[in-house]
Structure formats: C-alpha cells, structure tokens
Amino acid sequence: MSVYARPHDPSRPVVCMDEKPYQLLAHVRDPIPAGPGRDLKEDSEYVRHGTCSIFCWVEPLAGWRRADAQPRRTKVDWARQVKELLCVDYPDAETVVLVMDNLNTHGIGSLYEAFEPAEAFALAQRLEIHHTPKHGSWLNIAEIELSVLTRQCLGRRIEDLETLNAELAAWQRQTNADQRQVQWHFTTDDARIKLRHLYPKT
C-alpha cells in the first residue's frame, strides 16, 4: 500500500502488470446483425482457434496503459515484455517500480533465461519489484484494469491474434488519450485490518 501512496515521480514510475488467458473463437455461422427492434443474433456454437495471453501494464498516476496479446506466457515472453517496458515505454526512467503477482514467470530469473547475462543484469538493475500477497491479487491495479478492458473491448468473439491486438491497440489509444488516472483508496491502515492474517504475530 505504501508503494501506491508514493507521489508521481517520472524518474521512478510505479507500474502495475497482470496477464490473463484469452480464448480465440470463431463463428460457425455468421451472426445476424441487429436492426430496428431486433437484437444481434449469434449462434451458440463456435470454433476454437487456440488460446493466447493478454499482458496489461498500467501506470496509475499517469493514466497510461499498454495491452498486448502474445501466443504464450512463458518466462521468456514476460522478460521480453519487461524489456519493452524499460527500453521503449520508460527509456529515461532511472527505475521502474513494478507491482505484480507471484506467478512463477514474474521474476528476475526470467530475464536471464531470455537474454545474455550482461543485458539481463542491466535490465534487472532498473527494476524495483513488489509482489502482491498470496490470494491478494485484487491489490494489483492491473488486474482491475484487465477487468475493465474485458468489459469494454472483449465482449465479442475474436478469432485470431492479429484482430485481438488491433482491438487492444484501439482500446489502449483511447484510454491513454483520456489519461484516466486511478485513485487508490485502500491504505496501509486498511490493510492492517482486512489483511491482518498476513502480518507477523508478536
């Protein structure tokens, strides 16, 4: 909670990340478009076109988001996403303060699986990592943003990765243009009450 309470600092931005699996589905029959007095009609049958993983990155105080779908969610995939975060999204930041859950791919070791040791070390030196508690992923603002993204952008069947990424890019452009910030109200004092089972017993 203390991380979310920090003031906005472009040299040390607080960025939250999360990911979710997504199923690519195609229609068996073309939907019947909606018309005056008639809703869209869609067959309940569908064709599976595999799965992918949607990565979501959020800087709450700046109102910035990035959403990207990849075929897999391996350690190497996560590491490549982190490199893009550091080298493309925040090339001038001294350190990126990264909040995420404890998924086994979310660690410094993943950088060493993806890159040469010198490059992995250089990337790791620019990260300050904070993991959400076990069963506490709801404390990750990126998880909330993924829920918003799902409602706003993924309410229909999408059959391929290219179309999905086009939809995500459109959502990203719109939300970044709006610069919708996240005001986090759950404080450390709240956590000591609601999450008291996570604190050491004296």
Side-chain angles (χ1 to χ4, degrees):
M1 300 306 98
S2 60
V3 173
Y4 289 161
R6 296 179 187 179
H8 182 240
D9 181 354
S11 68
R12 299 181 64 86
V14 175
V15 177
C16 306
M17 76 81 51
D18 198 14
E19 57 189 82
K20 66 170 286 181
Y22 183 78
Q23 191 169 205
L24 298 168
L25 302 174
H27 294 288
V28 174
R29 302 171 186 83
D30 290 337
I32 299 174
R38 185 185 68 228
D39 293 333
L40 170 74
K41 292 185 178 180
E42 187 176 86
D43 198 301
S44 60
E45 292 187 53
Y46 53 82
V47 179
R48 297 177 188 271
H49 281 191
T51 60
C52 61
S53 187
I54 297 175
F55 291 84
C56 183
W57 305 81
V58 185
E59 186 188 351
L61 295 182
W64 172 86
R65 285 110 176 131
R66 174 161 62 83
D68 179 47
Q70 295 294 323
R72 301 176 301 168
R73 63 156 195 85
T74 65
K75 291 181 178 181
V76 171
D77 294 310
W78 180 83
R80 288 172 177 163
Q81 290 277 321
V82 169
K83 181 178 179 178
E84 182 174 352
L85 179 78
L86 294 173
C87 299
V88 178
D89 300 324
Y90 294 95
D92 299 323
E94 175 187 339
T95 300
V96 172
V97 182
L98 186 55
V99 178
M100 56 189 171
D101 62 24
N102 262 307
L103 199 64
N104 64 335
T105 57
H106 297 171
I108 296 299
S110 296
L111 298 175
Y112 285 87
E113 289 204 19
F115 309 115
E116 292 296 320
E119 182 177 10
F121 178 78
L123 293 171
Q125 290 297 104
R126 294 185 58 211
L127 289 174
E128 178 189 326
I129 292 177
H130 296 267
H131 290 292
T132 55
K134 188 177 181 181
H135 306 305
S137 62
W138 56 274
L139 294 169
N140 186 352
I141 290 174
E143 181 175 286
I144 299 169
E145 285 296 317
L146 268 175
S147 177
V148 173
L149 183 156
T150 299
R151 293 196 305 272
Q152 294 180 343
C153 182
L154 305 178
R156 61 183 180 85
R157 292 173 187 166
I158 299 176
E159 64 180 76
D160 59 71
L161 201 61
E162 183 179 0
T163 303
L164 175 58
N165 271 319
E167 293 288 328
L168 294 176
W171 178 85
Q172 175 183 307
R173 284 193 299 270
Q174 183 60 55
T175 54
N176 286 344
D178 293 341
Q179 291 189 315
R180 174 172 50 81
Q181 298 176 346
V182 178
Q183 302 297 325
W184 187 259
H185 297 288
F186 191 76
T187 66
T188 301
D189 289 339
D190 295 328
R192 288 186 178 127
I193 296 171
K194 190 174 181 65
L195 305 177
R196 59 183 179 275
H197 61 286
L198 298 176
Y199 285 81
K201 293 181 174 59
T202 56

